[in-house]
PDB file of all heavy atoms in Angstrom:
ATOM      1  N   ASP R   1      43.995 -19.457 168.276  1.00 98.00           N
ATOM      2  CA  ASP R   1      45.008 -19.268 169.308  1.00 98.00           C
ATOM      3  C   ASP R   1      44.943 -17.831 169.819  1.00 98.00           C
ATOM      4  O   ASP R   1      45.829 -17.370 170.532  1.00 98.00           O
ATOM      5  CB  ASP R   1      46.392 -19.548 168.710  1.00 98.00           C
ATOM      6  CG  ASP R   1      47.401 -20.042 169.735  1.00 98.00           C
ATOM      7  OD1 ASP R   1      47.003 -20.554 170.792  1.00 98.00           O
ATOM      8  OD2 ASP R   1      48.607 -19.904 169.463  1.00 98.00           O
ATOM      9  N   ALA R   2      43.872 -17.115 169.383  1.00 98.00           N
ATOM     10  CA  ALA R   2      43.620 -15.708 169.732  1.00 98.00           C
ATOM     11  C   ALA R   2      44.704 -14.791 169.179  1.00 98.00           C
ATOM     12  O   ALA R   2      44.974 -13.734 169.745  1.00 98.00           O
ATOM     13  CB  ALA R   2      43.471 -15.530 171.243  1.00 98.00           C
ATOM     14  N   THR R   3      45.332 -15.187 168.052  1.00 98.00           N
ATOM     15  CA  THR R   3      46.436 -14.404 167.474  1.00 98.00           C
ATOM     16  C   THR R   3      46.332 -14.391 165.950  1.00 98.00           C
ATOM     17  O   THR R   3      47.216 -14.897 165.249  1.00 98.00           O
ATOM     18  CB  THR R   3      47.796 -14.984 167.896  1.00 98.00           C
ATOM     19  OG1 THR R   3      47.862 -16.363 167.496  1.00 98.00           O
ATOM     20  CG2 THR R   3      48.002 -14.893 169.393  1.00 98.00           C
ATOM     21  N   GLU R   4      45.277 -13.785 165.432  1.00 98.00           N
ATOM     22  CA  GLU R   4      45.105 -13.726 163.980  1.00 98.00           C
ATOM     23  C   GLU R   4      46.152 -12.843 163.313  1.00 98.00           C
ATOM     24  O   GLU R   4      46.721 -11.958 163.945  1.00 98.00           O
ATOM     25  CB  GLU R   4      43.700 -13.228 163.638  1.00 98.00           C
ATOM     26  CG  GLU R   4      43.362 -11.849 164.158  1.00 98.00           C
ATOM     27  CD  GLU R   4      42.754 -11.840 165.546  1.00 98.00           C
ATOM     28  OE1 GLU R   4      43.059 -12.750 166.347  1.00 98.00           O
ATOM     29  OE2 GLU R   4      41.973 -10.913 165.834  1.00 98.00           O
ATOM     30  N   TYR R   5      46.390 -13.111 162.055  1.00 98.00           N
ATOM     31  CA  TYR R   5      47.394 -12.374 161.267  1.00 98.00           C
ATOM     32  C   TYR R   5      48.801 -12.537 161.836  1.00 98.00           C
ATOM     33  O   TYR R   5      49.525 -11.578 162.049  1.00 98.00           O
ATOM     34  CB  TYR R   5      47.031 -10.887 161.139  1.00 98.00           C
ATOM     35  CG  TYR R   5      45.803 -10.652 160.286  1.00 98.00           C
ATOM     36  CD1 TYR R   5      44.554 -10.475 160.881  1.00 98.00           C
ATOM     37  CD2 TYR R   5      45.879 -10.628 158.898  1.00 98.00           C
ATOM     38  CE1 TYR R   5      43.414 -10.280 160.110  1.00 98.00           C
ATOM     39  CE2 TYR R   5      44.747 -10.433 158.111  1.00 98.00           C
ATOM     40  CZ  TYR R   5      43.525 -10.256 158.726  1.00 98.00           C
ATOM     41  OH  TYR R   5      42.395 -10.082 157.963  1.00 98.00           O
ATOM     42  N   THR R   6      49.172 -13.786 162.073  1.00 98.00           N
ATOM     43  CA  THR R   6      50.549 -14.121 162.392  1.00 98.00           C
ATOM     44  C   THR R   6      51.277 -14.461 161.092  1.00 98.00           C
ATOM     45  O   THR R   6      50.678 -14.499 160.016  1.00 98.00           O
ATOM     46  CB  THR R   6      50.606 -15.326 163.335  1.00 98.00           C
ATOM     47  OG1 THR R   6      50.060 -16.458 162.645  1.00 98.00           O
ATOM     48  CG2 THR R   6      49.809 -15.083 164.600  1.00 98.00           C
ATOM     49  N   ILE R   7      52.568 -14.760 161.208  1.00 98.00           N
ATOM     50  CA  ILE R   7      53.331 -15.131 160.011  1.00 98.00           C
ATOM     51  C   ILE R   7      52.705 -16.342 159.330  1.00 98.00           C
ATOM     52  O   ILE R   7      52.544 -16.362 158.101  1.00 98.00           O
ATOM     53  CB  ILE R   7      54.806 -15.414 160.369  1.00 98.00           C
ATOM     54  CG1 ILE R   7      55.508 -14.125 160.778  1.00 98.00           C
ATOM     55  CG2 ILE R   7      55.536 -16.051 159.182  1.00 98.00           C
ATOM     56  CD1 ILE R   7      56.959 -14.310 161.197  1.00 98.00           C
ATOM     57  N   SER R   8      52.328 -17.346 160.112  1.00 98.00           N
ATOM     58  CA  SER R   8      51.816 -18.570 159.488  1.00 98.00           C
ATOM     59  C   SER R   8      50.519 -18.327 158.732  1.00 98.00           C
ATOM     60  O   SER R   8      50.331 -18.845 157.626  1.00 98.00           O
ATOM     61  CB  SER R   8      51.628 -19.678 160.535  1.00 98.00           C
ATOM     62  OG  SER R   8      50.671 -19.317 161.494  1.00 98.00           O
ATOM     63  N   SER R   9      49.614 -17.537 159.288  1.00 98.00           N
ATOM     64  CA  SER R   9      48.332 -17.336 158.592  1.00 98.00           C
ATOM     65  C   SER R   9      48.478 -16.365 157.423  1.00 98.00           C
ATOM     66  O   SER R   9      47.843 -16.545 156.381  1.00 98.00           O
ATOM     67  CB  SER R   9      47.261 -16.851 159.572  1.00 98.00           C
ATOM     68  OG  SER R   9      47.604 -15.621 160.163  1.00 98.00           O
ATOM     69  N   ILE R  10      49.321 -15.341 157.553  1.00 98.00           N
ATOM     70  CA  ILE R  10      49.521 -14.412 156.439  1.00 98.00           C
ATOM     71  C   ILE R  10      50.219 -15.118 155.279  1.00 98.00           C
ATOM     72  O   ILE R  10      49.790 -15.033 154.116  1.00 98.00           O
ATOM     73  CB  ILE R  10      50.335 -13.188 156.896  1.00 98.00           C
ATOM     74  CG1 ILE R  10      49.524 -12.352 157.888  1.00 98.00           C
ATOM     75  CG2 ILE R  10      50.728 -12.325 155.696  1.00 98.00           C
ATOM     76  CD1 ILE R  10      50.323 -11.228 158.545  1.00 98.00           C
ATOM     77  N   ASP R  11      51.291 -15.842 155.576  1.00 98.00           N
ATOM     78  CA  ASP R  11      52.034 -16.504 154.498  1.00 98.00           C
ATOM     79  C   ASP R  11      51.254 -17.647 153.873  1.00 98.00           C
ATOM     80  O   ASP R  11      51.404 -17.934 152.682  1.00 98.00           O
ATOM     81  CB  ASP R  11      53.378 -16.993 155.021  1.00 98.00           C
ATOM     82  CG  ASP R  11      54.388 -15.870 155.177  1.00 98.00           C
ATOM     83  OD1 ASP R  11      54.032 -14.707 154.880  1.00 98.00           O
ATOM     84  OD2 ASP R  11      55.529 -16.141 155.604  1.00 98.00           O
ATOM     85  N   ALA R  12      50.411 -18.308 154.656  1.00 98.00           N
ATOM     86  CA  ALA R  12      49.582 -19.377 154.089  1.00 98.00           C
ATOM     87  C   ALA R  12      48.566 -18.840 153.094  1.00 98.00           C
ATOM     88  O   ALA R  12      48.049 -19.577 152.257  1.00 98.00           O
ATOM     89  CB  ALA R  12      48.871 -20.146 155.197  1.00 98.00           C
ATOM     90  N   SER R  13      48.275 -17.527 153.182  1.00 98.00           N
ATOM     91  CA  SER R  13      47.357 -16.897 152.223  1.00 98.00           C
ATOM     92  C   SER R  13      48.099 -16.297 151.034  1.00 98.00           C
ATOM     93  O   SER R  13      47.486 -15.650 150.183  1.00 98.00           O
ATOM     94  CB  SER R  13      46.558 -15.782 152.912  1.00 98.00           C
ATOM     95  OG  SER R  13      47.359 -14.630 153.101  1.00 98.00           O
ATOM     96  N   GLY R  14      49.408 -16.472 151.002  1.00 98.00           N
ATOM     97  CA  GLY R  14      50.191 -15.841 149.956  1.00 98.00           C
ATOM     98  C   GLY R  14      50.354 -14.348 150.173  1.00 98.00           C
ATOM     99  O   GLY R  14      50.602 -13.602 149.223  1.00 98.00           O
ATOM    100  N   GLY R  15      50.209 -13.900 151.412  1.00 98.00           N
ATOM    101  CA  GLY R  15      50.341 -12.489 151.734  1.00 98.00           C
ATOM    102  C   GLY R  15      49.115 -11.665 151.412  1.00 98.00           C
ATOM    103  O   GLY R  15      49.156 -10.429 151.492  1.00 98.00           O
ATOM    104  N   LYS R  16      47.997 -12.330 151.112  1.00 98.00           N
ATOM    105  CA  LYS R  16      46.781 -11.608 150.738  1.00 98.00           C
ATOM    106  C   LYS R  16      45.867 -11.345 151.926  1.00 98.00           C
ATOM    107  O   LYS R  16      45.053 -10.423 151.905  1.00 98.00           O
ATOM    108  CB  LYS R  16      46.023 -12.385 149.662  1.00 98.00           C
ATOM    109  CG  LYS R  16      46.793 -12.517 148.350  1.00 98.00           C
ATOM    110  CD  LYS R  16      46.018 -13.348 147.341  1.00 98.00           C
ATOM    111  CE  LYS R  16      46.798 -13.501 146.040  1.00 98.00           C
ATOM    112  NZ  LYS R  16      46.068 -14.354 145.058  1.00 98.00           N
ATOM    113  N   ASP R  17      45.952 -12.203 152.965  1.00 98.00           N
ATOM    114  CA  ASP R  17      45.082 -12.031 154.125  1.00 98.00           C
ATOM    115  C   ASP R  17      45.778 -12.641 155.331  1.00 98.00           C
ATOM    116  O   ASP R  17      46.970 -12.467 155.492  1.00 98.00           O
ATOM    117  CB  ASP R  17      43.707 -12.647 153.866  1.00 98.00           C
ATOM    118  CG  ASP R  17      42.675 -12.212 154.900  1.00 98.00           C
ATOM    119  OD1 ASP R  17      42.711 -11.043 155.320  1.00 98.00           O
ATOM    120  OD2 ASP R  17      41.842 -13.042 155.289  1.00 98.00           O
ATOM    121  N   GLY R  18      45.066 -13.378 156.158  1.00 98.00           N
ATOM    122  CA  GLY R  18      45.662 -13.971 157.338  1.00 98.00           C
ATOM    123  C   GLY R  18      44.739 -14.031 158.528  1.00 98.00           C
ATOM    124  O   GLY R  18      45.154 -14.430 159.617  1.00 98.00           O
ATOM    125  N   PHE R  19      43.476 -13.652 158.318  1.00 98.00           N
ATOM    126  CA  PHE R  19      42.516 -13.737 159.422  1.00 98.00           C
ATOM    127  C   PHE R  19      42.221 -15.195 159.738  1.00 98.00           C
ATOM    128  O   PHE R  19      42.250 -15.603 160.897  1.00 98.00           O
ATOM    129  CB  PHE R  19      41.242 -12.987 159.062  1.00 98.00           C
ATOM    130  CG  PHE R  19      40.195 -13.001 160.157  1.00 98.00           C
ATOM    131  CD1 PHE R  19      40.451 -12.394 161.375  1.00 98.00           C
ATOM    132  CD2 PHE R  19      38.966 -13.609 159.957  1.00 98.00           C
ATOM    133  CE1 PHE R  19      39.494 -12.403 162.389  1.00 98.00           C
ATOM    134  CE2 PHE R  19      38.009 -13.622 160.965  1.00 98.00           C
ATOM    135  CZ  PHE R  19      38.274 -13.021 162.185  1.00 98.00           C
ATOM    136  N   ARG R  20      41.942 -15.986 158.743  1.00 98.00           N
ATOM    137  CA  ARG R  20      41.714 -17.423 158.904  1.00 98.00           C
ATOM    138  C   ARG R  20      42.871 -18.189 158.268  1.00 98.00           C
ATOM    139  O   ARG R  20      43.689 -17.647 157.535  1.00 98.00           O
ATOM    140  CB  ARG R  20      40.392 -17.857 158.251  1.00 98.00           C
ATOM    141  CG  ARG R  20      39.137 -17.209 158.790  1.00 98.00           C
ATOM    142  CD  ARG R  20      38.967 -17.380 160.289  1.00 98.00           C
ATOM    143  NE  ARG R  20      38.998 -18.743 160.757  1.00 98.00           N
ATOM    144  CZ  ARG R  20      37.911 -19.456 161.104  1.00 98.00           C
ATOM    145  NH1 ARG R  20      36.706 -18.911 161.011  1.00 98.00           N
ATOM    146  NH2 ARG R  20      38.027 -20.686 161.563  1.00 98.00           N
ATOM    147  N   GLY R  21      42.919 -19.489 158.554  1.00 98.00           N
ATOM    148  CA  GLY R  21      43.917 -20.351 157.939  1.00 98.00           C
ATOM    149  C   GLY R  21      45.260 -20.290 158.636  1.00 98.00           C
ATOM    150  O   GLY R  21      45.427 -19.683 159.691  1.00 98.00           O
ATOM    151  N   GLY R  22      46.235 -20.950 158.017  1.00 98.00           N
ATOM    152  CA  GLY R  22      47.584 -20.976 158.561  1.00 98.00           C
ATOM    153  C   GLY R  22      47.770 -21.941 159.708  1.00 98.00           C
ATOM    154  O   GLY R  22      48.619 -21.698 160.583  1.00 98.00           O
ATOM    155  N   ASP R  23      47.002 -23.055 159.720  1.00 98.00           N
ATOM    156  CA  ASP R  23      47.150 -24.045 160.794  1.00 98.00           C
ATOM    157  C   ASP R  23      48.627 -24.369 161.009  1.00 98.00           C
ATOM    158  O   ASP R  23      49.371 -24.618 160.053  1.00 98.00           O
ATOM    159  CB  ASP R  23      46.423 -25.333 160.433  1.00 98.00           C
ATOM    160  CG  ASP R  23      44.917 -25.158 160.326  1.00 98.00           C
ATOM    161  OD1 ASP R  23      44.435 -24.036 160.562  1.00 98.00           O
ATOM    162  OD2 ASP R  23      44.235 -26.138 159.983  1.00 98.00           O
ATOM    163  N   ALA R  24      49.049 -24.371 162.276  1.00 98.00           N
ATOM    164  CA  ALA R  24      50.473 -24.551 162.560  1.00 98.00           C
ATOM    165  C   ALA R  24      50.679 -25.209 163.915  1.00 98.00           C
ATOM    166  O   ALA R  24      49.852 -25.100 164.814  1.00 98.00           O
ATOM    167  CB  ALA R  24      51.198 -23.206 162.511  1.00 98.00           C
ATOM    168  N   PHE R  25      51.828 -25.894 164.034  1.00 99.00           N
ATOM    169  CA  PHE R  25      52.311 -26.372 165.323  1.00 99.00           C
ATOM    170  C   PHE R  25      53.002 -25.172 165.972  1.00 99.00           C
ATOM    171  O   PHE R  25      54.068 -24.741 165.521  1.00 99.00           O
ATOM    172  CB  PHE R  25      53.301 -27.516 165.131  1.00 99.00           C
ATOM    173  CG  PHE R  25      52.754 -28.671 164.352  1.00 99.00           C
ATOM    174  CD1 PHE R  25      53.006 -28.796 162.983  1.00 99.00           C
ATOM    175  CD2 PHE R  25      51.982 -29.643 164.969  1.00 99.00           C
ATOM    176  CE1 PHE R  25      52.509 -29.866 162.262  1.00 99.00           C
ATOM    177  CE2 PHE R  25      51.473 -30.726 164.249  1.00 99.00           C
ATOM    178  CZ  PHE R  25      51.735 -30.838 162.887  1.00 99.00           C
ATOM    179  N   ARG R  26      52.404 -24.628 167.013  1.00 99.00           N
ATOM    180  CA  ARG R  26      52.864 -23.363 167.561  1.00 99.00           C
ATOM    181  C   ARG R  26      53.475 -23.553 168.962  1.00 99.00           C
ATOM    182  O   ARG R  26      53.040 -24.429 169.732  1.00 99.00           O
ATOM    183  CB  ARG R  26      51.721 -22.350 167.655  1.00 99.00           C
ATOM    184  CG  ARG R  26      50.908 -22.193 166.376  1.00 99.00           C
ATOM    185  CD  ARG R  26      50.142 -20.884 166.369  1.00 99.00           C
ATOM    186  NE  ARG R  26      51.039 -19.758 166.129  1.00 99.00           N
ATOM    187  CZ  ARG R  26      50.938 -18.581 166.723  1.00 99.00           C
ATOM    188  NH1 ARG R  26      49.997 -18.360 167.620  1.00 99.00           N
ATOM    189  NH2 ARG R  26      51.793 -17.617 166.437  1.00 99.00           N
ATOM    190  N   PRO R  27      54.461 -22.747 169.327  1.00 98.00           N
ATOM    191  CA  PRO R  27      54.994 -22.830 170.695  1.00 98.00           C
ATOM    192  C   PRO R  27      53.932 -22.578 171.759  1.00 98.00           C
ATOM    193  O   PRO R  27      54.010 -23.145 172.856  1.00 98.00           O
ATOM    194  CB  PRO R  27      56.061 -21.726 170.723  1.00 98.00           C
ATOM    195  CG  PRO R  27      56.439 -21.501 169.300  1.00 98.00           C
ATOM    196  CD  PRO R  27      55.188 -21.760 168.510  1.00 98.00           C
ATOM    197  N   SER R  28      52.939 -21.742 171.440  1.00 98.00           N
ATOM    198  CA  SER R  28      51.915 -21.372 172.419  1.00 98.00           C
ATOM    199  C   SER R  28      51.055 -22.560 172.830  1.00 98.00           C
ATOM    200  O   SER R  28      51.046 -22.944 174.009  1.00 98.00           O
ATOM    201  CB  SER R  28      51.045 -20.247 171.858  1.00 98.00           C
ATOM    202  OG  SER R  28      50.650 -20.546 170.530  1.00 98.00           O
ATOM    203  N   ILE R  29      50.328 -23.144 171.890  1.00 99.00           N
ATOM    204  CA  ILE R  29      49.406 -24.225 172.269  1.00 99.00           C
ATOM    205  C   ILE R  29      50.161 -25.405 172.860  1.00 99.00           C
ATOM    206  O   ILE R  29      49.674 -26.063 173.789  1.00 99.00           O
ATOM    207  CB  ILE R  29      48.513 -24.661 171.089  1.00 99.00           C
ATOM    208  CG1 ILE R  29      47.448 -25.639 171.602  1.00 99.00           C
ATOM    209  CG2 ILE R  29      49.330 -25.226 169.949  1.00 99.00           C
ATOM    210  CD1 ILE R  29      46.404 -26.019 170.583  1.00 99.00           C
ATOM    211  N   ASN R  30      51.363 -25.658 172.371  1.00 99.00           N
ATOM    212  CA  ASN R  30      52.120 -26.777 172.933  1.00 99.00           C
ATOM    213  C   ASN R  30      52.621 -26.470 174.334  1.00 99.00           C
ATOM    214  O   ASN R  30      52.655 -27.361 175.193  1.00 99.00           O
ATOM    215  CB  ASN R  30      53.260 -27.155 171.985  1.00 99.00           C
ATOM    216  CG  ASN R  30      52.744 -27.931 170.792  1.00 99.00           C
ATOM    217  OD1 ASN R  30      52.438 -29.108 170.892  1.00 99.00           O
ATOM    218  ND2 ASN R  30      52.611 -27.258 169.659  1.00 99.00           N
ATOM    219  N   ALA R  31      52.972 -25.214 174.601  1.00 99.00           N
ATOM    220  CA  ALA R  31      53.330 -24.837 175.974  1.00 99.00           C
ATOM    221  C   ALA R  31      52.110 -24.941 176.886  1.00 99.00           C
ATOM    222  O   ALA R  31      52.222 -25.381 178.039  1.00 99.00           O
ATOM    223  CB  ALA R  31      53.901 -23.426 175.996  1.00 99.00           C
ATOM    224  N   TYR R  32      50.938 -24.530 176.381  1.00 99.00           N
ATOM    225  CA  TYR R  32      49.714 -24.621 177.182  1.00 99.00           C
ATOM    226  C   TYR R  32      49.407 -26.080 177.527  1.00 99.00           C
ATOM    227  O   TYR R  32      49.080 -26.398 178.681  1.00 99.00           O
ATOM    228  CB  TYR R  32      48.518 -24.043 176.434  1.00 99.00           C
ATOM    229  CG  TYR R  32      48.605 -22.596 176.025  1.00 99.00           C
ATOM    230  CD1 TYR R  32      47.766 -22.092 175.027  1.00 99.00           C
ATOM    231  CD2 TYR R  32      49.513 -21.718 176.612  1.00 99.00           C
ATOM    232  CE1 TYR R  32      47.825 -20.767 174.632  1.00 99.00           C
ATOM    233  CE2 TYR R  32      49.584 -20.387 176.222  1.00 99.00           C
ATOM    234  CZ  TYR R  32      48.738 -19.920 175.225  1.00 99.00           C
ATOM    235  OH  TYR R  32      48.801 -18.605 174.828  1.00 99.00           O
ATOM    236  N   MET R  33      49.496 -26.947 176.526  1.00 99.00           N
ATOM    237  CA  MET R  33      49.149 -28.351 176.769  1.00 99.00           C
ATOM    238  C   MET R  33      50.195 -29.031 177.652  1.00 99.00           C
ATOM    239  O   MET R  33      49.859 -29.911 178.454  1.00 99.00           O
ATOM    240  CB  MET R  33      48.974 -29.077 175.445  1.00 99.00           C
ATOM    241  CG  MET R  33      47.797 -28.553 174.607  1.00 99.00           C
ATOM    242  SD  MET R  33      46.211 -28.520 175.499  1.00 99.00           S
ATOM    243  CE  MET R  33      45.861 -30.271 175.651  1.00 99.00           C
ATOM    244  N   PHE R  34      51.446 -28.638 177.516  1.00 99.00           N
ATOM    245  CA  PHE R  34      52.478 -29.108 178.451  1.00 99.00           C
ATOM    246  C   PHE R  34      52.113 -28.707 179.878  1.00 99.00           C
ATOM    247  O   PHE R  34      52.145 -29.526 180.802  1.00 99.00           O
ATOM    248  CB  PHE R  34      53.836 -28.520 178.057  1.00 99.00           C
ATOM    249  CG  PHE R  34      54.851 -28.540 179.163  1.00 99.00           C
ATOM    250  CD1 PHE R  34      55.557 -29.700 179.466  1.00 99.00           C
ATOM    251  CD2 PHE R  34      55.103 -27.395 179.917  1.00 99.00           C
ATOM    252  CE1 PHE R  34      56.491 -29.721 180.499  1.00 99.00           C
ATOM    253  CE2 PHE R  34      56.035 -27.405 180.947  1.00 99.00           C
ATOM    254  CZ  PHE R  34      56.732 -28.573 181.242  1.00 99.00           C
ATOM    255  N   ALA R  35      51.760 -27.432 180.055  1.00 99.00           N
ATOM    256  CA  ALA R  35      51.424 -26.936 181.392  1.00 99.00           C
ATOM    257  C   ALA R  35      50.172 -27.616 181.932  1.00 99.00           C
ATOM    258  O   ALA R  35      50.088 -27.930 183.128  1.00 99.00           O
ATOM    259  CB  ALA R  35      51.232 -25.426 181.349  1.00 99.00           C
ATOM    260  N   ASN R  36      49.183 -27.842 181.063  1.00 99.00           N
ATOM    261  CA  ASN R  36      47.960 -28.521 181.501  1.00 99.00           C
ATOM    262  C   ASN R  36      48.245 -29.962 181.910  1.00 99.00           C
ATOM    263  O   ASN R  36      47.709 -30.454 182.915  1.00 99.00           O
ATOM    264  CB  ASN R  36      46.913 -28.479 180.389  1.00 99.00           C
ATOM    265  CG  ASN R  36      46.295 -27.105 180.222  1.00 99.00           C
ATOM    266  OD1 ASN R  36      46.249 -26.318 181.159  1.00 99.00           O
ATOM    267  ND2 ASN R  36      45.815 -26.805 179.026  1.00 99.00           N
ATOM    268  N   ALA R  37      49.088 -30.661 181.137  1.00 99.00           N
ATOM    269  CA  ALA R  37      49.430 -32.041 181.488  1.00 99.00           C
ATOM    270  C   ALA R  37      50.185 -32.085 182.810  1.00 99.00           C
ATOM    271  O   ALA R  37      49.919 -32.932 183.677  1.00 99.00           O
ATOM    272  CB  ALA R  37      50.261 -32.668 180.373  1.00 99.00           C
ATOM    273  N   ARG R  38      51.126 -31.173 182.986  1.00 99.00           N
ATOM    274  CA  ARG R  38      51.885 -31.121 184.242  1.00 99.00           C
ATOM    275  C   ARG R  38      50.962 -30.821 185.422  1.00 99.00           C
ATOM    276  O   ARG R  38      51.076 -31.434 186.494  1.00 99.00           O
ATOM    277  CB  ARG R  38      52.970 -30.058 184.121  1.00 99.00           C
ATOM    278  CG  ARG R  38      53.858 -29.921 185.348  1.00 99.00           C
ATOM    279  CD  ARG R  38      54.799 -28.728 185.193  1.00 99.00           C
ATOM    280  NE  ARG R  38      54.045 -27.499 184.958  1.00 99.00           N
ATOM    281  CZ  ARG R  38      54.592 -26.347 184.572  1.00 99.00           C
ATOM    282  NH1 ARG R  38      55.890 -26.273 184.359  1.00 99.00           N
ATOM    283  NH2 ARG R  38      53.832 -25.277 184.379  1.00 99.00           N
ATOM    284  N   ALA R  39      50.025 -29.878 185.232  1.00 99.00           N
ATOM    285  CA  ALA R  39      49.080 -29.552 186.301  1.00 99.00           C
ATOM    286  C   ALA R  39      48.206 -30.750 186.643  1.00 99.00           C
ATOM    287  O   ALA R  39      47.939 -31.019 187.829  1.00 99.00           O
ATOM    288  CB  ALA R  39      48.219 -28.363 185.884  1.00 99.00           C
ATOM    289  N   LEU R  40      47.752 -31.477 185.625  1.00 99.00           N
ATOM    290  CA  LEU R  40      46.926 -32.659 185.882  1.00 99.00           C
ATOM    291  C   LEU R  40      47.723 -33.730 186.613  1.00 99.00           C
ATOM    292  O   LEU R  40      47.174 -34.474 187.436  1.00 99.00           O
ATOM    293  CB  LEU R  40      46.357 -33.195 184.578  1.00 99.00           C
ATOM    294  CG  LEU R  40      45.211 -32.357 184.000  1.00 99.00           C
ATOM    295  CD1 LEU R  40      44.878 -32.793 182.581  1.00 99.00           C
ATOM    296  CD2 LEU R  40      43.980 -32.456 184.892  1.00 99.00           C
TER     297      LEU R  40
END
C-alpha cells in the first residue's frame, strides 16, 4: 500500500519490525477500489 511500518505491520511483528507483513483491511485500498468502481 506504499506505507511500510504502519501500526498493523509493526504490531503484527510483535514490535520487532514492520517492513513486511501486517496484512489488513485498510481505509486506503478500500477507498481506492470504491473510487475505481465509481469511475468505471
Side-chain angles (χ1 to χ4, degrees):
D1 208 21
T3 57
E4 60 271 29
Y5 292 97
T6 64
I7 291 178
S8 63
S9 61
I10 293 172
D11 284 0
S13 76
K16 296 178 181 178
D17 193 38
F19 181 64
R20 300 305 305 257
D23 295 358
F25 303 97
R26 310 200 74 218
S28 47
I29 188 173
N30 284 283
Y32 300 161
M33 296 306 290
F34 160 80
N36 286 334
R38 181 187 57 191
L40 285 169

